[in-house]
């Protein structure tokens, strides 16, 4: 199955660190990981819930030491994304997590941004950089990191909110989002992944986000669904992630097709593809097989990904035109 051009809107760059690269960087940087080798590391990729994944995700970040390590990870993602048909990517990075282990902002943000600055020429992928903040840490810490990013002129386009969701509601972060909005940044936040659907409402009403990461639990509230449909709030759904983190019992029970039929603005994304069994193309292929998606369904999901993006209007229109041609059965674009 070939795919139309895609935008990937929900992607944690640290979640693209493949086990092989983790072991390579650990050896190169002299980092002692708790696992003896590649096989033992691979055995860790069985998760009970979001927290059990986050424990491994943060532990593996230890191998990212130099600016070039961040650049190498970013190049590896863009190369894989190009093969998946991604033409625009909005990439989250967790600078706060790196600061906690003594890696400064210039190293983490700088290493990723060095590669993104040339992503369109080098990979044919336009990119947006999102600094994500850790909701299980104090808001004051996030505010200081945002001030530091702004003071250094970091090339960030948006802010996000991630990490452990339950008991860390969006309302804790109003001041952070007010500051980011005043600085001209776009706003996204994880909500309704493991947390209740009231967090989706809070993200919209209190943080005034442009889109919601995940949002699948919105289905528990009919009034909220009607609002999300009416306002066409983009929801960046991550099917394989939801199954691996047991937010959804199986792919068969995933509500994405129901969400599409309800008229929600849903897109398909990979979240942390090195951990959840697939990049965005694999997410699409698993869905297509499970639900017998039609060409029109795939085109609708792809179009939503560009409509929910922060891509330049010209880029967005160019890609939407290509998706319409793909839907009509024309040959895939190179
Ligand atoms: N950080 C990386 N991946 C995440 C996810 N799926 N949810 C919350 N925080 C994350
Ligand atoms: Zn995520």
């Amino acid at each position: 199955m070939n795919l139309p051009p895609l935008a990937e809107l929900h992607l944690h760059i640290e979640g693209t660190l493949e086990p092989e690269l983790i072991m390579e960087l650990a050896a190169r940087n002299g980092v002692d990981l708790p696992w003896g080798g590649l096989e033992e590391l691979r055995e860790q990729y069985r998760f009970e819930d979001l927290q059990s994944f986050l424990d491994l995700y943060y532990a593996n970040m230890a191998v990212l030491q130099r600016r070039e390590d961040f650049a190498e990870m970013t190049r590896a993602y863009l190369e894989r994304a190009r093969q998946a048909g991604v033409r625009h990517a909005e990439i989250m990075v967790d600078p706060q997590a790196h600061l906690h282990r003594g890696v400064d902002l210039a190293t983490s943000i700088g290493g990723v941004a060095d590669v993104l600055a040339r992503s369109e020429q080098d990979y044919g992928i336009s990119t947006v950089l999102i600094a994500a903040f850790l909701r299980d840490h104090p808001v004051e810490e996030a505010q200081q990191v945002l001030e530091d990013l702004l003071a250094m002129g970091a090339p960030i386009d948006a802010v996000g909110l991630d990490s452990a969701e339950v008991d860390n509601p969006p309302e804790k972060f109003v001041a952070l989002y007010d500051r980011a909005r005043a600085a001209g940044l776009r706003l996204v936040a994880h909500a309704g992944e493991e947390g209740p659907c009231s967090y989706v409402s809070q993200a919209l009403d209190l943080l005034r986000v442009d889109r919601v990461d995940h949002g699948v639990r919105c289905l528990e509230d009919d009034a909220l669904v009607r609002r999300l449909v009416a306002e066409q709030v983009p929801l960046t759904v991550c099917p394989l992630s939801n199954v691996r983190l047991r937010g959804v019992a199986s792919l068969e029970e995933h509500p994405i097709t129901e969400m599409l039929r309800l008229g929600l603005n849903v897109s398909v994304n990979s979240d942390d593809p090195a951990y959840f069994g697939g990049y965005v193309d694999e997410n699409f292929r698993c869905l297509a097989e499970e639900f017998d998606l039609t060409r029109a369904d795939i085109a609708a999901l792809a179009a939503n990904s560009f409509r929910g993006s922060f891509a330049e209007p010209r880029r967005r229109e160019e890609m939407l035109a290509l998706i319409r041609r793909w839907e009509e059965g024309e040959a895939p674009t190179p």
Side-chain angles (χ1 to χ4, degrees):
M1 180 186 69
N2 67 61
L3 288 166
L6 303 171
E8 174 137 72
L9 305 181
H10 185 158
L11 184 280
H12 303 265
I13 195 67
E14 299 91 342
T16 69
L17 260 184
E18 291 287 345
E20 293 78 6
L21 185 55
I22 290 171
M23 298 311 291
E24 215 178 294
L25 289 172
R28 201 187 300 162
N29 291 333
V31 173
D32 241 345
L33 289 173
W35 9 95
L38 196 55
E39 280 321 300
E40 201 181 327
L41 171 57
R42 286 217 176 95
E43 283 162 22
Q44 311 306 313
Y45 287 57
R46 269 188 295 260
F47 310 114
E48 303 296 317
D49 52 19
L50 175 57
Q51 189 60 56
S52 62
F53 153 71
L54 289 171
D55 292 344
L56 181 66
Y57 169 81
Y58 291 127
N60 284 341
M61 282 182 192
V63 303
L64 295 165
Q65 292 290 327
R66 302 163 311 139
R67 188 167 174 141
E68 174 54 24
D69 301 336
F70 287 86
E72 186 173 346
M73 167 176 68
T74 306
R75 284 194 296 268
Y77 165 67
L78 289 171
E79 180 54 37
R80 180 64 185 80
R82 190 185 59 72
Q83 292 164 22
V86 172
R87 303 293 300 273
H88 177 79
E90 311 210 339
I91 295 177
M92 276 180 272
V93 60
D94 280 326
Q96 211 177 336
H98 304 301
L99 283 173
H100 272 280
R101 48 185 199 83
V103 172
D104 66 21
L105 296 176
T107 302
S108 61
I109 292 278
V112 175
D114 287 345
V115 177
L116 298 192
R118 293 186 41 84
S119 65
E120 202 165 344
Q121 298 100 296
D122 292 349
Y123 300 92
I125 301 176
S126 49
T127 49
V128 156
L129 182 55
I130 305 173
F133 294 92
L134 306 181
R135 68 199 308 155
D136 47 357
H137 287 251
V139 63
E140 294 79 11
E141 188 184 297
Q143 286 174 288
Q144 187 57 55
V145 176
L146 177 58
E147 290 308 330
D148 293 346
L149 287 167
L150 294 171
M152 68 191 270
I156 58 172
D157 305 286
V159 298
L161 190 63
D162 63 3
S163 205
E165 184 182 7
V166 173
D167 295 331
N168 295 299
E171 65 186 353
K172 267 177 60 179
F173 295 91
V174 171
L176 178 76
Y177 275 68
D178 283 347
R179 176 70 178 109
R181 188 182 314 102
L185 299 173
R186 309 301 295 264
L187 312 171
V188 303
H190 284 52
E193 179 186 19
E194 273 193 349
C197 49
S198 61
Y199 287 15
V200 175
S201 304
Q202 283 187 20
L204 294 172
D205 293 329
L206 306 181
L207 305 187
R208 296 164 56 196
V209 294
D210 296 294
R211 67 174 185 248
V212 171
D213 288 322
H214 294 296
V216 282
R217 287 194 61 189
C218 72
L219 294 172
E220 295 166 25
D221 179 344
D222 291 343
L224 176 59
V225 169
R226 284 195 293 277
R227 174 189 184 180
L228 293 168
V229 171
E231 296 176 14
Q232 281 297 289
V233 176
L235 305 176
T236 63
V237 176
C238 307
L240 292 179
S241 164
N242 295 150
V243 173
R244 285 295 183 100
L245 299 187
R246 307 195 187 189
V248 173
S250 65
L251 195 62
E252 189 184 354
E253 289 169 59
H254 199 284
I256 190 158
T257 50
E258 182 193 349
M259 295 172 90
L260 196 58
R261 309 272 176 259
L262 286 166
L264 289 161
N265 182 341
V266 287
S267 58
V268 175
N269 303 270
S270 67
D271 205 1
D272 300 282
Y275 290 86
F276 301 145
Y279 286 76
V280 68
D281 52 340
E282 289 155 331
N283 272 266
F284 265 99
R285 289 199 177 96
C286 289
L287 288 177
E289 194 169 316
E290 185 65 51
F291 297 107
D292 280 332
L293 294 186
T294 63
R295 218 169 165 86
D297 292 330
I298 293 169
L301 290 163
N304 283 345
S305 72
F306 283 99
R307 288 199 195 101
S309 78
F310 303 135
E312 299 291 342
R314 246 189 37 203
R315 176 86 171 155
R316 185 190 322 201
E317 293 311 315
E318 178 197 352
M319 293 298 139
L320 288 171
L322 289 176
I323 293 166
R324 281 192 295 274
R325 281 176 47 191
W326 179 89
E327 189 181 352
E328 287 155 12
E330 288 187 31
T333 52

